[in-house]
Amino acid sequence: MNYIFLLLVTFKIIKKKLMQLKEIMGFQTAHSHGAKWIPQPIFKGKEVPIDVQENSLFQKTTLNFIEHSQSNSNYILSGYDSWMVRHPSALNSFERLMKNAIGKRIILFLDYDGTLSPIVNDPDRAFMSEEMRATVHEVATYFPTAIISGRSRDKVQDFVKLNNLYYAGSHGMDIMAPSMPITSSAGEHIEIAINKSCTEVPFQPAKKYLPAIREILRILKNEVEEIKGAMVEDNGFCVSVHFRQVQEKDYGFLEEKVKCVLENHPQFCLTEGKKVMEIRPSIKWNKGNAVEYFLDTLGLSSCNDILPVYIGDDRTDEDAFKVIQSREQGYPIIVSSVPRETRALYSLRDPSEVLMFLSSLAKWRKNAY
């Protein structure tokens, strides 16, 4: 009889642990009302009460099982899986996300490198797959879609080769968007030039810095050409110095040269991304501002029925995540296969999961109407 009772208790404990593991892997069962902010559940194991009046065999066996299970749980919750509890998979959460999207207007924002294309050693060969291109084209037929990249606008547009979406290059400092009056997030009117066709116009808040950028580009190319593996890239309104193929012993020398050039241009700042240093004008404009700009020019900034979705993998995407968080509407999604500090609510591992998410989004929209 004691043996049967012990088996029943053990079965209940195993069942509870399986439910905890299911939550860890992203299968949250919490329900939300409306399409606004969705706080993520934080996993916290519950203690299993032990009746101290039971016989010693029961106590010993059960306590040993709990200790073993908690040890395994701590192992499961380490590293990436622990991070996933706070930033669950957007794929595993897709059904719940779309339930909150019903009746809302989705606006899609995408980074390029590391999101639509894999990170590669040669930045000139960061090509997106034909399958990804077809999927982005499809979602852009259903939702307003913009690509916001650190690359120059012309370069990222040449990579993507699609005409049914909007582009922002140089971390949002070079935007091609619909032509209409806009205001900044502070309520200030922003003057923009309207072309003769009145279809799309470039917005370039750092245009006055172009002569200095050209000078920095020229100097840097001469300064770092002797460092094997270093590559200087012209990205329009910013200059990128790639060091993915630079030997570790040479990185300090490269960094010193870049900072030395920057000392003579105090109106510029230095930031670092994935194996890249970037020199940008020191103006209050970033990818978050680009998101606000697009929403404003599309006439959506003051709407309560919109759902911005931003997918990106870089530190510079955090500014966009912050904007979406401040609106308390939408889904900021980070692309990362390692745990990292982020303002994103959800995560995808790599571009292959981005492809699956976008494909699911297009399929959901197609079946919904």
Side-chain angles (χ1 to χ4, degrees):
M1 191 67 180
N2 286 338
Y3 179 72
I4 295 174
F5 180 70
L6 179 60
L7 283 177
L8 288 173
V9 173
T10 304
F11 173 76
K12 288 182 179 180
I13 295 173
I14 293 173
K15 184 178 178 181
K16 183 176 74 69
K17 292 298 176 181
L18 287 174
M19 291 297 293
Q20 292 173 349
L21 179 60
K22 193 175 181 181
E23 289 183 3
I24 293 168
M25 299 307 293
F27 297 96
Q28 286 79 13
T29 57
H31 295 280
S32 302
H33 298 286
K36 288 193 173 184
W37 193 261
I38 301 179
Q40 298 309 312
I42 303 300
F43 174 81
K44 185 176 182 181
K46 295 181 180 178
E47 295 182 359
V48 180
I50 302 296
D51 187 346
V52 295
Q53 300 301 319
E54 295 292 338
N55 61 64
S56 59
L57 176 62
F58 170 82
Q59 291 182 24
K60 183 177 180 180
T61 305
T62 305
L63 288 170
N64 285 341
F65 181 83
I66 292 172
E67 182 180 357
H68 177 71
S69 298
Q70 288 177 338
S71 175
N72 286 341
S73 178
N74 290 334
Y75 173 77
I76 292 171
L77 284 172
S78 65
Y80 189 78
D81 290 324
S82 177
W83 181 80
M84 285 279 287
V85 174
R86 301 188 302 277
H87 311 286
S89 166
L91 281 175
N92 292 341
S93 308
F94 186 81
E95 184 177 347
R96 180 162 57 88
L97 298 183
M98 291 306 101
K99 282 182 180 179
N100 288 281
I102 295 174
K104 304 293 179 179
R105 289 182 285 174
I106 293 176
I107 304 94
L108 189 60
F109 300 99
L110 303 167
D111 183 25
Y112 182 75
D113 292 273
T115 299
L116 300 181
S117 72
I119 297 293
V120 293
N121 288 334
D122 184 353
D124 289 334
R125 300 190 62 79
F127 304 120
M128 65 192 302
S129 67
E130 288 300 323
E131 187 179 8
M132 179 69 85
R133 181 174 291 106
T135 301
V136 172
H137 180 273
E138 185 177 14
V139 295
T141 62
Y142 296 130
F143 314 107
T145 302
I147 292 180
I148 306 178
S149 173
R151 304 275 194 147
S152 69
R153 177 168 53 84
D154 291 340
K155 189 173 293 183
V156 73
Q157 192 165 358
D158 188 54
F159 273 131
V160 177
K161 303 182 188 300
L162 294 175
N163 296 322
N164 64 333
L165 38 78
Y166 305 115
Y167 293 92
S170 305
H171 301 292
M173 287 183 284
D174 186 10
I175 301 176
M176 188 64 79
S179 59
M180 60 177 63
I182 67 162
T183 54
S184 69
S185 58
E188 301 172 342
H189 181 68
I190 298 176
E191 295 293 337
I192 58 175
I194 300 178
N195 60 13
K196 293 181 180 179
S197 63
C198 290
T199 52
E200 290 183 340
V201 293
F203 175 64
Q204 300 169 334
K207 191 172 184 178
K208 70 177 184 179
Y209 294 95
L210 275 178
I213 292 171
R214 301 275 79 79
E215 176 68 8
I216 291 172
L217 184 67
R218 181 187 65 80
I219 296 173
L220 271 177
K221 283 185 175 180
N222 291 331
E223 288 291 325
V224 307
E225 63 180 357
E226 62 186 90
I227 301 177
K228 186 177 180 180
M231 177 179 175
V232 178
E233 183 181 14
D234 178 4
N235 277 318
F237 291 88
C238 63
V239 178
S240 302
V241 182
H242 299 273
F243 55 89
R244 185 170 295 276
Q245 300 186 74
V246 172
Q247 294 184 21
E248 188 175 348
K249 65 181 180 64
D250 294 329
Y251 172 75
F253 183 48
L254 175 63
E255 184 181 36
E256 183 181 340
K257 281 189 171 291
V258 172
K259 289 182 176 180
C260 184
V261 172
L262 198 61
E263 284 179 0
N264 297 320
H265 296 83
Q267 70 274 39
F268 288 82
C269 63
L270 181 66
T271 61
E272 189 169 316
K274 291 184 175 180
K275 300 292 183 179
V276 61
M277 289 179 279
E278 292 184 315
I279 296 176
R280 293 192 276 170
S282 298
I283 64 172
K284 293 182 179 180
W285 194 269
N286 52 48
K287 289 186 176 183
N289 298 111
V291 168
E292 292 177 320
Y293 181 95
F294 277 118
L295 293 177
D296 209 8
T297 57
L298 292 169
L300 301 172
S301 60
S302 60
C303 297
N304 295 321
D305 64 341
I306 64 169
L307 202 67
V309 176
Y310 191 106
I311 306 176
D313 76 305
D314 198 65
R315 291 180 186 176
T316 56
D317 296 309
E318 293 295 329
D319 295 313
F321 296 157
K322 182 179 179 180
V323 165
I324 294 179
Q325 277 203 14
S326 68
R327 295 181 63 90
E328 295 189 348
Q329 56 181 177
Y331 303 134
I333 303 173
I334 190 170
V335 182
S336 181
S337 59
V338 296
R340 50 190 283 195
E341 287 299 317
T342 180
R343 292 185 175 96
L345 285 178
Y346 296 92
S347 65
L348 295 167
R349 279 184 178 268
D350 50 39
S352 67
E353 288 202 353
V354 174
L355 176 63
M356 288 188 283
F357 181 85
L358 295 178
S359 179
S360 298
L361 189 61
K363 184 177 180 181
W364 172 82
R365 174 58 176 78
K366 190 187 302 183
N367 295 334
Y369 296 89

